[in-house]
Amino acid sequence: DIQMTQSPTSLSASVGDRVTITCRASQSIATYLSWYQQKPGKAPKLLMYAASTLQNGVPSRFSASGSGTDFTLTISSLQPDDFATYSCQQSYSRPWTFGRGTRVEIK
Amino acid sequence: QVQLQESGPGLVKPSETLSLSCSVSGGSIGTYYWNWIRQSAGKELEVIGRIHTTGNTIYNPSLKSRVTMSVDTFKNQFSLRLRSVTAADSAIYYCAREFTYVDAYDVWGQGTMVTVSS
């Protein structure tokens, strides 16, 4: 299985901060990479797919990039609604696998 | 819009079979792949497998020997059976739609907690 490693595991930030989360695949996955946001007690919500495409309805302060093994998710100006856990997921080969998540907390 | 809702027992005894269903509302179950994904405490999300309305399935090799998925197009629902459960199978179980155009899970159920304990 392809292993997805995220960093950092958690981070503290303030409203208005620029936040960047990294995801690394154990082998090249081209751009078969999605990002999800998950709040406590809720299901994951798809934010981005194909490494850099914004899902419908997701605010434009979210952006993502990368290809091969290294990917990033950026929140340009953190909003109160953005405090959550963010996970990456590869769809290059089955079984599709997720990273352990990065928890974004309020500083 | 399409909504998913999991249902099933929240407590299963060790060595028994975990059975869950996912009801699809607001749209047809046809033309999509439907998945079961679980999340154990403190761990990453784990894909259990997927099923199409044709009955075609792909299971995670790590669980394949214990998993069966089925679909009922008349009831607009699909199901999961996981045999011989242990405490390691305790998790939140989600059903999710796989949108093949984007190769991602674009619709999720709210999740249901299943605990394996005697």
Side-chain angles (χ1 to χ4, degrees), chain A residues 65-80:
Chain A
S65 64
S67 65
T69 60
D70 295 317
F71 302 85
T72 60
L73 173 71
T74 298
I75 309 172
S76 60
S77 177
L78 199 63
Q79 298 301 302

Side-chain angles (χ1 to χ4, degrees), chain A residues 31-89:
Chain A
T31 57
Y32 290 90
L33 192 284
S34 300
W35 289 97
Y36 297 83
Q37 177 194 66
Q38 189 173 19
K39 297 181 179 179
K42 300 293 186 183
K45 172 188 173 183
L46 178 64
L47 295 178
M48 317 282 299
Y49 59 89
S52 61
T53 303
L54 205 63
Q55 170 70 338
N56 290 340
V58 175
S60 58
R61 62 180 179 273
F62 289 91
S63 64
S65 64
S67 65
T69 60
D70 295 317
F71 302 85
T72 60
L73 173 71
T74 298
I75 309 172
S76 60
S77 177
L78 199 63
Q79 298 301 302
D81 190 49
D82 301 338
F83 292 96
T85 297
Y86 295 85
S87 299
C88 58
Q89 172 246 318

Side-chain angles (χ1 to χ4, degrees), chain A residues 8 11-14 16-21 61 63 73-78 83 86 102 104-105:
Chain A
L11 64 89
S12 295
S14 301
D17 284 354
R18 182 182 181 88
V19 169
T20 298
I21 297 167
R61 62 180 179 273
S63 64
L73 173 71
T74 298
I75 309 172
S76 60
S77 177
L78 199 63
F83 292 96
Y86 295 85
T102 295
V104 177
E105 301 173 317

Side-chain angles (χ1 to χ4, degrees), chain B residues 5-116:
Chain B
Q5 178 67 58
E6 303 90 348
S7 60
L11 181 64
V12 182
K13 290 182 169 55
S15 80
E16 295 191 346
T17 297
L18 178 160
S19 296
L20 296 174
S21 292
C22 181
S23 295
V24 181
S25 60
S28 172
I29 198 171
T31 74
Y32 289 100
Y33 290 93
W34 303 95
N35 287 252
W36 287 99
I37 299 167
R38 69 181 184 180
Q39 187 169 37
S40 303
K43 297 188 69 176
E44 67 270 26
L45 292 152
E46 178 184 34
V47 177
I48 300 170
R50 77 170 193 184
I51 187 166
H52 190 265
T53 49
T54 57
N56 178 269
T57 56
I58 297 179
Y59 300 143
N60 189 322
S62 69
L63 297 166
K64 186 176 182 178
S65 64
R66 300 193 290 131
V67 171
T68 302
M69 293 183 184
S70 59
V71 62
D72 186 331
T73 55
F74 294 104
K75 292 184 177 179
N76 238 32
Q77 69 181 32
F78 60 103
S79 301
L80 167 71
R81 287 172 56 85
L82 180 65
R83 297 176 292 278
S84 304
V85 297
T86 70
D89 295 310
S90 296
I92 299 173
Y93 285 75
Y94 296 99
C95 55
R97 186 177 77 174
E98 179 182 318
F99 190 22
T100 53
Y101 179 74
V102 303
D103 279 342
Y105 305 108
D106 67 330
V107 181
W108 294 67
Q110 66 183 23
T112 186
M113 180 69 207
V114 178
T115 301
V116 178

